[in-house]
Amino acid sequence: MHERTVSEVLVDQLAAWGVEYVFGLPGMSCLGVVDAIRKHEKIRFVRVRHEESAALMASAYAKLTGKVGVCLTIAGPGATNLITGLYDAKMDRAPVLALTGQVRLQYIGPGGFQEIDQDVLFNSFCVFNKTINSKEQTVELVTLALRHALMERGVAHLAIPNDVQKGVLEAEIEPMEGRIPDFSIVNTELVDRAARLLNEAEQPVILAGWGARGHGYKLLKLAERLQAPIVTTFRAKGVVPEDYELALGVLGDVGTPMARKFVDAADLLLVCGSSFSEKTNIPQKRIIQVDFDPMNLAKEFPIEAPILGECGVVLEHLLAKVQERAANLGLLEEVKREKANWLAQLDKEADPKAAPLRAPFIMKVLRETIDPAAIVTIDVGDNSFWVGRNMVMAQQTLLMSGYLATMGFGLPAAIAAKLAAPDKQVVCITGDGGFAQVMGEFMTAVEQDLKIVVVILNNRELAMISLEQRVEGYPKFATELENTNFADYAISCGGCGFTVHEPMELKAVMEHVLHGRKPAIVDIATDPKRF
């Protein structure tokens, strides 16, 4: 009869709580856990080329699904390599569990090979951080780590010493049922007050943040009932279709002028699931705010009605209490006119003849070819600026590194997204700088047979940094890039690769790769002189 090890119990506990994937790299101090994953029927190990990518994949998976994303690596350098991706999860409130090996118990302290003080390393940003020092702690500590990650929407960490991983353990697995509280309870008095404010408002506007994802239908229904325009934060772009008649696009640095105009003119804002980032710049006025985190409520200034709760639950309560208004033909006509002017501006910018290709034209082709239900992951830099400003989204889901804004997020996020939603089209939009940081993970996509499309806006420059140098009064320095041929690289990895130099080539290439059978890279020669 097979005796279970601590590692096998640990992995069984993860599976019982719905973990499907573990992103990571094997190594001496985590081999016991890796082997337990190898033998498990319900959990798949996704081997990456760098630990930062493993943590970014776990973060992206958690952002997309709401489930715990899990990453795994060795003690010492493996653990330190996770930190950037884990900070991305921390700052964007994504539930992630990091598992790291550790040296054998008797070597913890004297400074053994690859031993670092992992407790200190992870304490600064984790909501839960423990070392499994005895096999009897396994089930309890794994369960606590998962609960903290889910309930506090943050990063949990467990270190497992090498010898503990191999210990024999018989233990009952703790089910998830009954361990997660009901978040559907809200303060009905505050909801009643919010409904009264909405009914009395003459020019209400709805602002949807990332916390409102998955509730687009409720937002649209409430907008129709109130005859209220909808704007979104950048992270929430696509939560409601931007071609909907009352949708005004993104509010903030990369947003639309019409979103700012209507928000500034509003006499009441209903803000659902937004953290009030300075990049969004929500003005101080009468506001109803809905958020799951009490520390986000009235974070920047006093709020008229701060409602603690999940956006979907609160929206259901509001829909039951808000009065239906007659169609506001004047408002509809004004919104229609503003949107027509904005779309005309975008079309004017999308020069179909300029070569190297201009980013507004690329965004126009992408919005014409990408599936309306696709998942779009973006990197940091010029590419994200153009997606936010010029790409009109239908019902696509946008994944990004929000508060941390770390380069290299786009490709690992696309891999995680395709694993989480294999039936969805997944497109990564990145720059040459961001892609080069993680380009080894394209081999991971090929090995895992993940049919993603990577669109590289290749201006051979860290263009946003060049602009920042210009704004700060510095000469351009250390921002020009000498790149490899990314299309050839894709082919050498076993995928598909295309280089686009002329505008008229792009649409045909995109249609080909979006319906292809292999991971693909579309390397587009773009113009760094964006203004």
Side-chain angles (χ1 to χ4, degrees), residues 25 48-58 78 80-86 406-409 412 437-438 441:
L25 271 173
V48 300
R49 298 305 176 111
H50 193 280
E51 293 92 348
E52 179 187 351
S53 295
L56 288 172
M57 289 176 193
T80 58
N81 282 343
L82 291 175
I83 301 304
T84 298
L86 296 180
T406 183
M407 285 177 66
F409 178 83
Q437 287 196 355
V438 292
E441 302 309 335

Side-chain angles (χ1 to χ4, degrees), residues 203-260:
Q203 293 178 282
V205 172
I206 299 171
L207 171 57
W210 178 248
R213 68 193 183 281
H215 303 296
Y217 172 75
K218 296 172 187 176
L219 290 165
L220 295 180
K221 193 172 180 181
L222 186 61
E224 290 174 0
R225 187 166 295 180
L226 288 169
Q227 289 294 288
I230 298 182
V231 301
T232 73
T233 63
F234 185 10
R235 282 190 71 202
K237 185 178 176 72
V239 166
V240 295
E242 292 186 309
D243 54 4
Y244 169 64
E245 63 178 357
L246 285 170
L248 300 174
V250 171
L251 178 71
D253 287 0
V254 298
T256 68
M258 57 187 176
R260 178 60 60 191

Side-chain angles (χ1 to χ4, degrees), residues 456-510:
I456 303 175
L457 276 63
N458 186 351
N459 50 31
R460 307 181 73 82
E461 187 176 332
L462 300 172
M464 185 165 282
I465 299 173
S466 293
L467 176 65
E468 290 166 351
Q469 288 175 329
R470 179 179 172 186
V471 169
E472 294 288 326
Y474 298 113
K476 183 191 293 187
F477 176 71
T479 57
E480 295 180 347
L481 302 174
E482 290 296 328
N483 295 321
T484 188
N485 186 310
F486 292 125
D488 286 350
Y489 170 72
I491 295 168
S492 71
C493 291
C496 293
F498 296 87
T499 302
V500 176
H501 292 286
E502 298 297 329
M504 293 303 104
E505 300 171 346
L506 181 57
K507 188 168 187 178
V509 169
M510 285 302 303

Side-chain angles (χ1 to χ4, degrees), residues 153-174:
R153 304 190 195 196
V155 178
H157 168 249
L158 286 175
I160 314 103
N162 200 358
D163 50 341
V164 174
Q165 293 173 35
K166 302 168 185 175
V168 175
L169 177 64
E170 281 303 320
E172 294 291 327
I173 299 302
E174 286 281 346

